Amino acid sequence: METRKNAVDPQALLITVAPTGAETAKADCPQLPTTLEELVRTAQECEAAGAAMIHVHIRDDEHRPTLDLARLTDTVQALRESTDLVVQLSTGGSVHDPLDHRLRVLDAQPDSCSLTMGTTNFGDDVFSNPWPFVCELYQLSQERQVVPEFELFDLGQVAALHRLLDRFGLPYGGRVHCDLVMGVPGGMPGTADALVASVAALPAQVTSWSATGIGRTTLPVALAALSKGGHLRVGMEDVVTISRGVPVESNRQLVERAAAIGELAQRRPMTTVEARTFLGLPSTAV
């Protein structure tokens, strides 16, 4: 599945960094990058450590999650000027963001966007992704020439991806890249068994997939993904400890660990140039 439609070294490992997220408070985790300056510095460090794509959430001046379009646009521009990373904006925002604001994320003209394939219980909250919204966001990504990453929180969302591709065809660029988000309270568990079941159920159109383990499932999911030939998303959006009771110092630390365990599996970090080919993006950002 990994090499069928991608002219990239099959041993190359796509490492995506998700540095901030929308759930962790800056007051609880001062090392979380929440300002534009911090985010740019983090992106540069993570690119040097082996990341090829960055999954971006932004914060306001009080370090709270926001989908402010001007801030999103400035962030995309700053990341493009300071790195060669593939810039992926979250269309999930926080669980409290209205659907119309989430659609407007594409106005910031990222390379890629996240596209979650269904509604998920998210701890005590609900991450709402109704089917009409999923369809509208997907068609908008096709029109705007933004490559979606399909985020899959359970097997039902894998089934929904079959339905979406059958109805609306392939995304812009012709590649179908998924991320299995595992270990969220309310979603599928972060286990090897759940990962194997999800990969077996992916549509035939899928050309690549990565996996994300939340919290204590980070390492088990990463190891299972590598054993199945998948790719990795890591970052402080998903985990804020490097080991039991030891806080993460920076996102770079998590990317370095992903690169190191990839090396054990004889997988080298994918370059940003390779990542663009791999995901069906133009060779340079527009």
Side-chain angles (χ1 to χ4, degrees):
M1 183 178 296
E2 289 304 313
T3 61
R4 186 175 55 202
K5 297 180 182 178
N6 295 285
V8 172
D9 178 1
Q11 297 305 311
L13 173 65
L14 175 64
I15 300 176
T16 300
V17 62
T20 306
E23 285 73 45
T24 302
K26 181 79 164 181
D28 297 331
C29 186
Q31 62 272 40
L32 191 75
T34 54
T35 69
L36 183 54
E37 181 182 6
E38 289 171 341
L39 185 61
V40 166
R41 183 169 62 251
T42 292
Q44 291 171 327
E45 292 175 352
C46 290
E47 182 179 13
M53 180 157 68
I54 185 168
H55 171 83
V56 180
H57 291 253
I58 62 169
R59 303 292 181 99
D60 63 17
D61 289 340
E62 284 72 46
H63 309 288
R64 297 172 303 197
T66 180
L67 290 179
D68 178 80
L69 181 57
R71 285 178 179 267
L72 285 168
T73 302
D74 289 345
T75 300
V76 171
Q77 180 178 351
L79 289 171
R80 284 188 175 144
E81 290 175 351
S82 58
T83 77
D84 292 320
L85 293 168
V86 175
V87 179
Q88 179 187 99
L89 291 183
S90 169
T91 62
S94 78
V95 294
H96 308 293
D97 285 315
L99 299 180
D100 59 333
H101 289 193
R102 292 166 58 191
L103 289 172
R104 289 205 297 267
V105 166
L106 269 63
D107 292 346
Q109 299 182 312
D111 301 307
S112 175
C113 68
S114 61
L115 201 164
T116 300
M117 286 304 305
T119 296
T120 303
N121 285 329
F122 205 97
D124 295 334
D125 296 306
V126 177
F127 181 24
S128 180
N129 294 280
W131 179 247
F133 169 76
V134 171
C135 294
E136 185 175 0
L137 177 55
Y138 184 49
Q139 293 174 89
L140 188 61
S141 75
Q142 291 171 315
E143 294 168 8
R144 300 289 180 84
Q145 299 187 341
V146 174
V147 171
E149 176 184 87
F150 300 101
E151 295 201 26
L152 308 173
F153 286 75
D154 62 36
L155 276 174
Q157 294 184 14
V158 176
L161 180 57
H162 283 261
R163 182 183 177 196
L164 188 77
L165 295 174
D166 288 346
R167 181 170 180 181
F168 296 109
L170 295 175
Y172 169 68
R175 308 286 196 257
V176 181
H177 180 69
C178 306
D179 183 48
L180 306 175
V181 185
M182 311 183 70
V184 170
M188 62 179 155
T191 63
D193 287 345
L195 183 141
V196 170
S198 298
V199 172
L202 290 173
Q205 298 97 317
V206 169
T207 51
S208 60
W209 59 271
S210 61
T212 303
I214 305 301
R216 69 185 63 182
T217 73
T218 295
L219 279 176
V221 166
L223 294 169
L226 289 170
S227 74
K228 286 289 291 180
H231 301 270
L232 302 180
R233 186 184 103 169
V234 299
M236 294 177 68
E237 174 173 348
D238 305 317
V239 64
V240 293
T241 57
I242 195 69
S243 59
R244 188 183 296 269
V246 180
V248 171
E249 296 174 2
S250 69
N251 282 281
R252 180 189 67 249
Q253 192 178 20
L254 295 171
V255 173
E256 288 172 344
R257 183 172 68 176
I261 62 175
E263 184 178 358
L264 289 174
Q266 300 184 44
R267 305 275 299 279
R268 62 165 180 82
M270 189 178 293
T271 69
T272 55
V273 172
E274 288 175 316
R276 299 189 73 84
T277 299
F278 188 74
L279 296 169
L281 285 162
S283 57
T284 56
V286 292

